[in-house]
Amino acid sequence: MSVSDLFEPLTLAHGPAMRNRFMLAPLTNQQSEHDGSASPFDQEWIRQLARSDYALIQTCAATVEAGGIAFERQLGVHSDAHLPGLTEMATSIRRGGGLSAVQLHHAGHRARPELGGLPAPASDSTVPGVKALTTDEVERIRDSFVAAAVRAERAGFDGVAVHGAFGWILSEFMSPLLNDRTDKYGGSTENRARLTIEVIEGIRRACGPEFQIGWRLSVERYGLRLEELRDITAEVLDRELIDYLDLALWDSAQLVQEGALRGQSMLGIFTGLPRKSVRVGTAGKIMSAQRAGQLLDEGCDFVLIGRAGILQRDFPRQVKANPRYDSAQLPVTAQYLRTGGLSERFINYVSGWPSFVY
């Protein structure tokens, strides 16, 4: 395939098609109000993206419960008070011609008490002095994910993306290291995946027939087992529970470093699974037009743009204009980001990333 193939439309099982193969990755930016309401900085960020020809724009991680907060100034979708700001965001994206999704998030055991968070571990031993969630509490959080999706639909979003990566609560429950439960949410692989499956199934039941569901999955750290995640993903794809799978890899070209699958392409383990109507894409150091095009050859249906989209808001347009487009060399100055339109709050956040800002 060539770079031009990135601009072919892509149908999804539910709702409208993606107009091209570029999806904006969900990017934490810590620029919302302290109560989780979308700020003017959030709205300007979304307006910039909406003019940039992405096929689908995901919001940053949004809390499904006030107690599930992980970041200062994190966007919220846990209250009807958040609806006006969310509605404005969804409207901006629609006016720009793209599809929209709220990323649904709960920090689990990593919720921040100093921000009003309530650590919610799967196991007694994870957080000193904090008991594991009861079965009823797990089901309450499950229902909060579903309620947040309904709220996103009311705000006018085309769908939601379920955050199952990076050791947050759904990922935590998947991990035998972090989940030693003996109820229906612990023990076997099936039981540890139950919370994720019930969240997705609950959203599908509660929302309209055109509502789109994505699932973000990471496969490293936090005691996760690659072979188990492959098998769980195979079931999700076979049952067509979601519209798209977002593989959150640190590097889309990385190889498996250990275990029975050592030496294989991490991406290939998942793109090689039968996917029926589900679309599969990845994030991870996609900084150039050429790399984005290569990933279609490597089995992806779409690509997720993260850091490259922070550096250059209209990355898809740049690629369309120049098939050899490459992002600015990292690190960049704060003034470079400022000139590009990034808010001071966002710049302060990314300044903490290794080798991104100097």
Side-chain angles (χ1 to χ4, degrees), residues 158-281:
D158 294 291
V160 291
V162 177
H163 200 334
F166 306 146
W168 305 121
I169 198 163
L170 301 182
S171 175
E172 174 182 351
F173 268 72
M174 292 273 202
S175 167
L177 176 67
L178 297 173
N179 180 354
D180 63 3
R181 304 176 70 87
T182 57
D183 66 356
K184 65 180 180 178
Y185 293 105
S188 67
T189 304
E190 178 184 4
N191 281 357
R192 284 183 279 111
R194 186 182 305 278
L195 178 56
T196 295
I197 300 299
E198 288 185 351
V199 163
I200 293 169
E201 290 178 331
I203 293 169
R204 181 60 71 211
R205 287 193 300 268
C207 294
E210 298 299 295
F211 199 65
Q212 297 167 345
I213 303 175
W215 176 37
R216 172 156 257 214
L217 177 69
S218 65
V219 295
E220 301 168 281
R221 303 171 60 194
Y222 305 104
L224 295 170
R225 294 175 178 168
L226 180 57
E227 292 87 346
E228 287 185 347
L229 293 174
R230 177 197 58 193
D231 293 345
I232 293 164
T233 302
E235 178 188 352
V236 170
L237 299 181
D238 183 63
R239 294 177 59 194
E240 299 177 286
L241 296 180
I242 57 176
D243 292 275
Y244 56 91
L245 172 67
D246 160 5
L247 290 166
L249 304 180
W250 294 112
D251 184 344
S252 57
Q254 72 195 75
L255 302 179
V256 181
Q257 297 299 311
E258 56 187 17
L261 301 174
R262 182 178 179 179
Q264 294 188 36
S265 158
M266 189 78 78
L267 177 62
I269 288 167
F270 293 89
T271 57
L273 296 171
R275 64 187 74 169
K276 292 188 174 177
S277 67
V278 180
R279 304 307 190 178
V280 177

